[in-house]
Amino acid sequence: MATFYLLALLIGIVAGLRAMAAPAAVAWGAWLGWLPVAGTWASFMGHWIAVAIFTVLALVELVTDQLPSTPSRKVPQQFGARILTGALSGAVIGTVGGVVFGGLAAGIIGAILGTLGGAAARASLANAFGKDLPAALVEDAVAILGALWIVSLVA
């Protein structure tokens, strides 16, 4: 059971880095059968429509995050979106382990940690690289690979 709390926390951290990467990975995991959520409240995540929507949103986020006009992840709308997607993704992982509300709480905590820590790490990377684009690409890779790794651990 503790494993599911940890995985929910980690997927929340991914949501803090990339708001839509976490639910996209969870939707793909449910659709592929890695996350057995059929017959639960989270069964909608395994539907192809959820996979398509979250995948498109994740791709849009990857592109728009590279734009100079992208708002800070700490503004209320961005921060709120990251907390919501962390909560959703954590709750789905918690559902697999029978700890829905624990997963939800761990996902929220992870999203807060990922948002605040990710902003600091990205600023440091951007300073080291001299520009933001390489830092954003590193953050993208960590978030996407991390989300896929976490979902594979649940399976």
Side-chain angles (χ1 to χ4, degrees), residues 109-139:
I109 293 167
I112 292 168
L113 294 173
T115 300
L116 299 177
R122 183 165 171 175
S124 295
L125 280 173
N127 285 336
F129 288 126
K131 51 185 163 178
D132 191 50
L133 182 60
L137 296 175
V138 168
E139 187 179 41

Side-chain angles (χ1 to χ4, degrees), residues 24-115:
V26 169
W28 274 98
W31 186 63
L32 293 171
W34 297 352
L35 302 176
V37 294
T40 69
W41 71 272
S43 61
F44 74 95
M45 290 298 279
H47 196 280
W48 71 269
I49 293 174
V51 172
I53 290 170
F54 286 121
T55 300
V56 167
L57 289 173
L59 292 171
V60 168
E61 181 184 27
L62 288 175
V63 171
T64 59
D65 189 58
Q66 317 309 322
L67 303 174
S69 62
T70 302
S72 166
R73 70 183 73 209
K74 294 182 190 177
V75 299
Q77 298 86 347
Q78 294 277 343
F79 202 18
R82 292 168 192 279
I83 289 172
L84 286 174
T85 59
L88 171 65
S89 301
V92 172
I93 288 179
T95 297
V96 174
V99 288
V100 177
F101 293 110
L104 180 126
I108 290 171
I109 293 167
I112 292 168
L113 294 173
T115 300

